[in-house]
Amino acid sequence: MTTILSKEKVAMRDIFGETLLKLSVEDAAVYALDGDLANSTKVDMVAVNNPDKFLQMGIAEQNMMSVAAGLATTGLQPWVTTFAAFLSKRAIDQIQVQIAQPKLNVKMIGAYSGLLTGLTGKTHQALEDIAIFRTIANVVVLAPADSVEVKKMMEFAHKYEGPVYIRLARDPYPNIFSDDYNFELGKAVTLKKGKDITIISTGTQTVRSLEAAEQLESEGISVAVVHMPTIKPLDKEAIIQAAEATGVIVTAEEHSIYGGLGSAVAEVLVEERPVPMLRVGVRDRNSESGPNDEMLEKYEISPSHIVKAVKEALKKKSDLKMGE
């Protein structure tokens, strides 16, 4: 496996649409269910090129999940696509009772996750979806860093028997992984080694974490970067090893600091290997729409804020050593 940081940017949703079309052609069991957002989620690639495998469910997310559950009981594999905000908050009762509890083979795709959703407004942003889905028994929760990982996760999900939630971003991002990357459920990926501190990131924040690490290295700070593509089941061993190796952790996610990756990592550390840590994520505040760079700065999740958190966490580590 080779990690890179390409100059070319690719949108996760484009690769999602292409891959789902391929799966729908190759596997008679695969169906695409759409909540009237096909041109945004790119599931319209199935609608145009394989219309017999495309089911338009309209703006009725709860009903869409119930239909998906019904299809799964007949041996089909429905892929449900809508914005992460609608999937995680409008239809959560149907997901828990009709899909998760009986462990049905439904794949749930939350598009337009996080802050950067274009000028769609706060109603279309999801900063709570990881927190919601990781509390539901039997659901696998995934957050890819780039378009290569999207494809690999979808190939995994297609073979996996049970409910899977995949969180996708709207805008293009540089590819981190080369085509020989092999996604493994429940396994973290060390993208960069370092001895002073570890950044554990997920989803879109992994690219920003690598950018922050590059800046910190230029200042003489050795930073390890660990990408966590699987939020549930979580790679506890990778977290413990990072804590033992560097003695201090910063987490980074385009999500609320409550209940997401930062909370999951903190739970492991407090039980297994307590070390100083800080969480980079959206604080307890309502979101809004705006230009991407301005949004990242205002909500304190930009590379510069990761750099700031790393320096603050290192001070905690230093203070702790002085107090020993």
Side-chain angles (χ1 to χ4, degrees), residues 14-263:
D14 290 335
I15 300 303
F16 164 72
E18 292 173 9
T19 306
L20 187 56
L21 172 60
K22 183 174 183 289
L23 292 175
S24 73
V25 170
E26 295 176 349
D27 186 349
V30 171
Y31 277 78
L33 278 64
D34 171 51
D36 198 31
L37 289 168
N39 63 333
S40 296
T41 64
K42 301 303 180 181
V43 75
D44 59 352
M45 294 187 193
V46 179
V48 172
N49 297 291
N50 195 13
D52 290 345
K53 304 298 286 295
F54 176 83
L55 302 177
Q56 177 55 261
M57 308 309 299
I59 307 175
E61 292 83 5
Q62 294 173 342
N63 179 65
M64 180 164 62
M65 302 316 299
S66 296
V67 170
L71 292 172
T73 63
T74 70
L76 299 178
Q77 187 183 87
W79 287 67
V80 181
T81 61
T82 185
F83 288 178
F86 307 153
L87 188 63
S88 64
K89 290 179 276 191
R90 289 185 181 175
I92 199 63
D93 182 51
Q94 284 71 23
I95 291 170
Q96 181 172 27
V97 175
Q98 297 177 338
I99 294 170
Q101 287 184 8
K103 301 181 185 180
L104 295 182
N105 195 26
V106 177
K107 314 308 169 186
M108 298 168 283
I109 310 300
Y112 280 52
S113 67
L115 273 178
L116 308 186
T117 61
L119 301 179
T120 55
K122 67 181 68 175
T123 57
H124 289 50
Q125 293 167 326
L127 297 172
E128 313 86 2
D129 54 314
I130 292 175
I132 291 168
F133 276 104
R134 68 181 283 259
T135 63
I136 301 176
N138 303 322
V139 178
V140 167
V141 182
L142 308 176
D146 67 4
S147 64
V148 172
E149 197 166 46
V150 170
K151 183 175 184 292
K152 301 293 185 174
M153 282 182 176
M154 291 179 70
E155 290 170 351
F156 154 79
H158 178 235
K159 296 175 183 176
Y160 177 83
E161 188 70 25
V164 176
Y165 173 66
I166 304 178
R167 181 184 214 247
L168 301 183
R170 174 187 183 273
D171 293 339
Y173 283 83
N175 277 341
I176 292 171
F177 299 109
S178 57
D179 290 336
D180 63 349
Y181 168 65
N182 180 37
F183 168 76
E184 293 184 69
L185 178 66
K187 294 296 182 182
V189 183
T190 299
L191 298 176
K192 182 182 176 302
K193 294 183 179 180
K195 58 182 175 55
D196 294 331
I197 190 168
T198 304
I199 301 172
I200 301 177
S201 59
T202 194
T204 54
Q205 280 297 81
T206 293
V207 169
R208 298 178 194 120
S209 295
L210 288 170
E211 293 173 356
E214 184 177 348
Q215 178 181 331
L216 289 159
E217 289 284 349
S218 71
E219 299 178 28
I221 300 171
S222 179
V223 183
V225 178
V226 176
H227 171 53
M228 196 70 71
T230 310
I231 310 297
K232 184 184 173 188
L234 192 67
D235 191 342
K236 293 183 179 181
E237 283 304 312
I239 296 168
I240 295 168
Q241 288 172 10
E244 292 175 346
T246 63
V248 59
I249 304 289
V250 167
T251 60
E253 59 196 308
E254 192 179 330
H255 184 273
S256 169
I257 61 167
Y258 301 111
L261 174 69
S263 294

Side-chain angles (χ1 to χ4, degrees), residues 115 285 288 293-301 305:
L115 273 178
R285 59 197 294 193
E288 61 190 305
D293 289 344
E294 293 180 22
M295 292 285 284
L296 293 174
E297 291 297 333
K298 179 169 184 175
Y299 290 92
E300 301 179 2
I301 63 171
H305 283 94

